[in-house]
Amino acid sequence: MAVGRSAASKIDWARIGTSLGLKGQTATALAAFKKRNDDARRKVQLLSDAPQTVNFESYRSQLKNQGVIDEIESHFKSFKPATYDVSRQIKAIEAFEAQAVKNAEETKGLVDKELGDLEKTLKNIEEARPFEDLTVDEVVAARPDIDERTTQLVSKGRWAVPGYKEKFGDLSVL
C-alpha cells in the first residue's frame, strides 16, 4: 500500500493533460478522476490522523454501568475490519484508462491530420506568387468556374460584374 501511495503522490496531473494533448471529454474525465483521487487521499489522511485507541478506563470511571463498557470493549477488541474485493474497481479504472488511451489516439490522429493540412496550406501560401504577377490564364487554370461564369455573363450581354458598383462605386462619371 505504501508503494501505491508513493506512486500516486508522484503523479503530475497538470503535465499528463498537456503532454498527451488531451482535450474535450478525455480531459474532463481526467479532471474528474483527479478530483476523486484527491478527495480519497484527503479522507485517508484525515482518518489516519484520527486517534485509533479508546481509553475504556476513563469511561469506566465516569459511568456506573460497567457491563455496558465491558461489552463494548469486547466488541471493540474482537472487531476485524471487512476486506473488500477491489477487482471491480480496478477493472473500471482499467476500462477508463483504455477509453482515455483510445480517445487520446483519436485526438492525436485528428491533430496530426490537421497539422498536415495546415503545413500544406502554409507551404502553398509561401510558394504562391503575388497576385499582381498572375496572368488571366493562370487564374482560369486554378479556378475554371471563373471562366464559366464570365462566359455565361457575356453570353447574356452583361458586361458588368454583379455587386462591383456597390463595392467599388461607379466610375462612369470620370
Side-chain angles (χ1 to χ4, degrees), residues 32-48:
F33 182 76
K34 178 192 179 304
K35 182 181 182 307
R36 287 194 313 268
N37 181 357
D38 290 343
D39 290 345
R41 295 175 96 220
R42 200 173 303 112
K43 286 178 186 177
V44 166
Q45 184 64 34
L46 284 172
L47 291 174
S48 65

Side-chain angles (χ1 to χ4, degrees), residues 108-121:
K108 182 184 179 295
L110 292 173
V111 168
D112 287 344
K113 181 179 181 285
E114 189 172 336
L115 279 175
D117 291 346
L118 289 173
E119 286 174 0
K120 194 184 328 178
T121 302

Side-chain angles (χ1 to χ4, degrees), residues 125-138:
I125 290 170
E126 289 172 347
E127 294 175 353
R129 290 188 313 183
F131 188 73
E132 299 83 29
D133 295 346
L134 293 177
T135 64
V136 172
D137 293 333
E138 292 170 333

